[in-house]
Amino acid sequence: MSVMSSMMRGARLLRSSAPLLTWPQSRRLASKQVKGQRKEQKKPKVDKQEVEIRQGMTAAALAAAMNRDFDHVVEALLNTPADLDSLRPDSVLEDSCIKEAVIRSGMKFRWAKLGESQERPNRDAQRRPPADPALLVSRPPVVTIMGHVDHGKTTLLDSLRKSQLVATEAGGTTQHIGAFLVQLPTGERITFLDTPGHAAFSSMRARGAHATDIVVLVVAADDGVMNQTVESIQHAKNAKVPIIVAVNKCDKPQADPQRVKQELLAHGVVCEEFGGDVQAIHISALKGDNLQALAEATVALAEVLELKADPGGPVEAVLIESRTDKGKGPVTTVIVQRGTLRRGCVLVAGCCWAKVRFLFDENGCAVLEAAPSAVVQVVGWKELPSAGETVLEVESEQRAREVVEWRSHQAEQHKLLGEQSAIELKQQRHLEEYRREREPLAHLSWRQRRAALYRADKIRFSMRPSERTECDEPGLPLVIKGDVDGSVKTLLNILDGYDAQDECRLDVIHFGVGDVSENDVNMAATFGGSVYGFNVAASRGVTQLAARRGVALHLHRVIYQLVEQLRHELSSKLPPQRRCSTVGEATVLAIFTVSVGKKEVLVAGCRVQKGQLDRRLKFRLIRGRDTVWEGSVLALKHHKDDVATAKAGMECGVSVDGEVDFSAGDVIECFEEQEVPRVTSWDPGF
């Protein structure tokens, strides 16, 4: 026993000595060693390569941006919607494919900013510096005839050039800007511009004023100064052009030229007899009276102005009007300001260029060249330029393409800047709205805030209408076609003043120069709109297509008739307006109860004061100035007989459906609801 007990004591001593003291320490050291090993095994963070991407990148451009070859881009686009069979280095990739290729390559992307684009050298064509005075020669003056509608501007021009333009104009009013070279009996040559006087053609009058040397302001002696007269004076002042006043229609009995000149004083036009420097000539354009004096005054003022130009060097001209001719293609009317325009010249106007094939005068006769102040029609344009552009001659077709490409690039950049500004503004508004929505939840915890946002989003999305639901608001999409560019611009300017978008949306989905085509009809049918044409035609096939597809085709030759048709169609899109008209009135005299079966009905005994009460119409109960009840009546009786109507002076009993508290002295009014067509509130101003 003693041996066994000694052995047990020895074992306890072994267990209770060093191992009991060192085990916790070794465990602690081991754990520290493991943590240290884990820290050593953690991978360092690797910065991904950043690739700058942009819209419309080609596969080769993307490979160059990633510093890879074309095959790498193809491998990165495997198992994506991209068509790899037709993929070439110059193939343009979609935005989703560009981002997917960058991500699969282990890189990150960022969109290129517009401001970081490389500056392109200026390749635009510029006007020449002023010519040497020794090279200048005299040129005919350019005179613009301006004034109010129907004051006799075109009749005056007809009398000067012995033509009959008025007979060829739709509605008897000028609706285009015309340019003519007139040779006076004395031998002087004058280039005349005839501008429309209608209120709709303000842009044409402004264009004519800036392309002229002298303005002849035509004012009717029997009508006086009108709205477009004042506007023409303002255009002439803005262009800093001298004015000659032609007081027309002096042969009429009610003519009062003195009153006209006094009215002009209020607008800053001071005639010579009042101490000013503006010549005023009394004429009769219809009878040809005193036209020689007007021509002499124009020639004298031109001599004072000393109008000269350089006939040599590259051509500079101003584009008055442009149109599309079926046999000639794009045709423009220009006034040469400098140089001599010949066949074969390469011209640039806006974003269009031309190699001149033919030159025609105002009578349609071919000419070989056009000197300064001459008016010619130019054939050979690749595209139709806009009216009012400056026409410049360049050295070659390659140079013309460079100029057009640079101008198109500048226009695109300007458009992108505008779109970027709109996007940034929208983002700013969205951020402000987001902060405004989150501000009331700032005091909540994140769990409470999350729950509140979930409830708000759930309510908002449940109330959001379906995206497939069609818009119930009335609208009218339009396709606009005109015979010349100036007419189209005039129509667009009129539509820019449309201020009834809250009543009916008006959208111009397409506009152009030329006759109405099948594409115009198909586009209008796609959007459910109408086609409006000014001084254009539609072939039989186009008319039949429009009838089959249910597209309204409106062709007009007079502009105010077109605008009136448009107002009528806009009014037809508006929902009808409900109007209540009173048919009769009755005064409640007494109230009594009548038994109908087992039910007691309250009856108002009345006397009809005016009109008649019709049982089929609606009634309202008026007490003082308040409407107490409105609805239909159950019965209308005269004595004990049911009647359909009760006329003035008759006594009747009226019972209604529901509990209505009648009182003696109340007025029962019978009224009829009618649907009246609404008229658009848009007023184009003429």
Side-chain angles (χ1 to χ4, degrees):
M1 290 292 293
S2 60
V3 174
M4 290 293 293
S5 60
S6 61
M7 291 176 63
M8 291 174 67
R9 282 196 302 271
R12 284 198 296 269
L13 288 173
L14 288 172
R15 285 197 300 268
S16 59
S17 58
L20 291 175
L21 296 172
T22 59
W23 178 74
Q25 185 177 3
S26 62
R27 171 104 181 241
R28 192 164 51 251
L29 292 173
S31 64
K32 288 182 180 179
Q33 186 178 5
V34 170
K35 288 182 180 178
Q37 289 175 355
R38 285 180 182 175
K39 288 183 180 178
E40 291 174 2
Q41 291 175 0
K42 188 175 181 180
K43 294 181 179 180
K45 185 177 180 181
V46 179
D47 291 335
K48 293 183 179 180
Q49 179 183 344
E50 190 174 52
V51 180
E52 185 181 86
I53 63 175
R54 62 182 183 276
Q55 291 182 342
M57 289 185 74
T58 62
L62 179 60
M66 294 192 300
N67 293 327
R68 300 289 189 273
D69 55 7
F70 173 71
D71 294 336
H72 176 82
V73 176
V74 176
E75 293 176 2
L77 293 177
L78 289 173
N79 300 323
T80 62
D83 186 9
L84 300 181
D85 296 333
S86 61
L87 187 64
R88 298 289 182 271
D90 58 348
S91 299
V92 178
L93 301 176
E94 296 182 0
D95 296 347
S96 58
C97 296
I98 296 173
K99 294 187 287 187
E100 187 68 22
V102 173
I103 293 172
R104 289 189 176 190
S105 302
M107 307 174 186
K108 59 183 180 180
F109 63 85
R110 66 178 175 87
W111 290 101
K113 293 183 179 179
L114 188 64
E116 297 178 0
S117 60
Q118 187 177 1
E119 286 289 335
R120 297 181 60 172
N122 189 341
R123 303 295 298 168
D124 197 8
Q126 304 291 340
R127 284 180 175 267
R128 290 183 290 159
D132 185 0
L135 301 176
L136 300 180
V137 297
S138 299
R139 62 172 178 85
V142 179
V143 179
T144 299
I145 300 178
M146 304 178 72
H148 193 69
V149 64
D150 290 337
H151 277 201
K153 299 181 298 300
T154 306
T155 305
L156 170 61
L157 190 58
D158 280 343
S159 300
L160 289 172
R161 64 195 298 262
K162 301 298 187 285
S163 61
Q164 292 295 325
L165 287 176
V166 174
T168 65
E169 292 177 337
T173 60
T174 303
Q175 302 183 98
H176 300 89
I177 186 169
F180 313 94
L181 183 63
V182 177
Q183 185 164 1
L184 301 177
T186 55
E188 289 88 356
R189 295 159 62 90
I190 301 177
T191 298
F192 280 101
L193 296 183
D194 185 18
T195 61
H198 196 278
F201 297 100
S202 175
S203 59
M204 286 191 183
R205 287 190 292 275
R207 194 161 66 247
H210 283 81
T212 191
D213 303 313
I214 302 170
V215 168
V216 173
L217 183 66
V218 179
V219 187
D222 61 338
D223 205 6
V225 176
M226 304 297 287
N227 294 335
Q228 274 62 61
T229 310
V230 177
E231 185 192 279
S232 300
I233 294 171
Q234 193 61 43
H235 286 319
K237 288 183 177 180
N238 292 339
K240 298 180 180 178
V241 176
I243 297 175
I244 297 177
V245 177
V247 184
N248 194 18
K249 302 183 182 182
C250 290
D251 56 319
K252 287 193 172 184
Q254 61 271 31
D256 189 359
Q258 198 68 19
R259 178 175 66 90
V260 171
K261 289 183 276 190
Q262 289 175 353
E263 290 177 352
L264 289 172
L265 288 173
H267 304 286
V269 179
V270 184
C271 298
E272 290 179 338
E273 60 182 276
F274 295 114
D277 57 353
V278 177
Q279 302 178 75
I281 314 297
H282 300 178
I283 64 170
S284 173
L286 188 62
K287 294 184 178 182
D289 297 342
N290 214 21
L291 296 185
Q292 185 64 30
L294 177 62
E296 292 174 357
T298 305
V299 172
L301 182 57
E303 291 177 355
V304 172
L305 295 175
E306 296 182 353
L307 302 174
K308 295 182 179 182
D310 179 14
V315 175
E316 296 178 9
V318 58
L319 199 153
I320 296 299
E321 196 57 274
S322 59
R323 60 184 174 87
T324 301
D325 190 275
K326 287 185 178 180
K328 302 174 183 176
V331 180
T332 62
T333 302
V334 302
I335 296 180
V336 180
Q337 295 178 326
R338 193 175 180 184
T340 302
L341 181 59
R342 299 180 177 87
R343 291 178 57 180
C345 291
V346 181
L347 305 178
V348 174
C351 294
C352 305
W353 69 278
K355 185 174 183 180
V356 180
R357 293 167 48 209
F358 300 102
L359 295 174
F360 298 95
D361 61 10
E362 67 272 14
N363 298 316
C365 300
V367 295
L368 296 178
E369 61 181 26
S373 295
V375 179
V376 287
Q377 297 180 14
V378 180
V379 179
W381 294 93
K382 307 302 177 183
E383 296 180 5
L384 190 68
S386 298
E389 296 283 358
T390 300
V391 181
L392 300 176
E393 183 183 359
V394 293
E395 303 85 21
S396 61
E397 296 184 21
Q398 181 181 359
R399 172 66 177 137
R401 292 190 184 95
E402 289 180 356
V403 173
V404 169
E405 182 183 356
W406 189 86
R407 291 181 178 181
S408 301
H409 173 73
Q410 290 297 107
E412 183 181 356
Q413 293 298 309
H414 183 71
K415 182 180 178 182
L416 289 176
L417 283 173
E419 292 176 352
Q420 186 178 16
S421 301
I423 291 173
E424 292 176 354
L425 179 62
K426 205 166 188 179
Q427 289 176 342
Q428 183 66 26
R429 290 178 179 175
H430 177 74
L431 182 61
E432 292 175 358
E433 183 180 357
Y434 175 82
R435 290 173 177 171
R436 190 164 52 252
E437 290 179 355
R438 295 300 190 274
E439 189 175 357
L441 308 178
H443 65 283
L444 301 177
S445 64
W446 71 270
R447 290 184 184 274
Q448 294 172 334
R449 188 162 53 248
R450 183 177 179 182
L453 292 174
Y454 174 77
R455 288 192 298 269
D457 291 342
K458 187 175 181 181
I459 295 173
R460 184 167 65 249
F461 282 107
S462 64
M463 295 176 63
R464 187 177 64 177
S466 174
E467 293 180 356
R468 296 184 180 181
T469 304
E470 295 186 0
C471 182
D472 295 333
E473 296 180 0
L476 179 60
L478 292 182
V479 174
I480 303 294
K481 297 302 289 286
D483 57 341
V484 295
D485 182 71
S487 300
V488 176
K489 283 186 175 180
T490 297
L491 291 173
L492 295 178
N493 289 339
I494 294 172
L495 297 180
D496 283 343
Y498 181 72
D499 54 0
Q501 292 284 0
D502 54 338
E503 295 179 352
C504 180
R505 288 183 299 103
L506 183 64
D507 301 316
V508 179
I509 56 177
H510 176 67
F511 61 88
V513 178
D515 290 344
V516 180
S517 64
E518 293 185 358
N519 289 336
D520 300 327
V521 175
N522 291 330
M523 184 176 296
T526 302
F527 288 90
S530 302
V531 179
Y532 279 79
F534 178 65
N535 271 332
V536 295
S539 64
R540 186 176 179 183
V542 171
T543 306
Q544 292 175 350
L545 176 64
R548 284 198 308 270
R549 303 208 61 179
V551 175
L553 187 60
H554 306 291
L555 304 179
H556 294 273
R557 296 188 64 199
V558 182
I559 193 163
Y560 57 80
Q561 293 178 357
L562 183 147
V563 176
E564 190 60 33
Q565 175 72 45
L566 177 59
R567 291 187 74 249
H568 178 72
E569 187 170 4
L570 287 169
S571 300
S572 66
K573 296 286 183 180
L574 301 178
Q577 194 173 16
R578 291 187 173 272
R579 227 176 247 177
C580 296
S581 58
T582 303
V583 177
E585 289 183 2
T587 305
V588 178
L589 303 177
I591 300 96
F592 50 91
T593 305
V594 176
S595 297
V596 180
K598 296 183 178 180
K599 187 178 179 183
E600 291 187 349
V601 179
L602 193 65
V603 178
C606 309
R607 178 181 288 115
V608 182
Q609 301 293 342
K610 58 182 178 180
Q612 65 177 12
L613 303 185
D614 193 333
R615 181 178 176 181
R616 296 165 297 183
L617 303 180
K618 290 189 175 182
F619 290 74
R620 64 167 64 100
L621 179 63
I622 300 176
R623 183 172 298 153
R625 295 184 179 180
D626 300 328
T627 301
V628 180
W629 167 85
E630 184 176 316
S632 303
V633 298
L634 289 178
L636 181 64
K637 291 180 178 290
H638 178 59
H639 298 304
K640 293 184 179 181
D641 301 326
D642 286 326
V643 293
T645 59
K647 298 182 179 179
M650 293 178 57
E651 293 184 351
C652 59
V654 177
S655 60
V656 300
D657 187 14
E659 296 182 359
V660 179
D661 183 20
F662 291 107
S663 298
D666 291 347
V667 177
I668 296 179
E669 188 178 88
C670 177
F671 65 94
E672 182 180 12
E673 287 186 342
Q674 295 176 336
E675 289 187 350
V676 180
R678 291 179 60 187
V679 179
T680 179
S681 61
W682 174 49
D683 183 11
F686 53 85

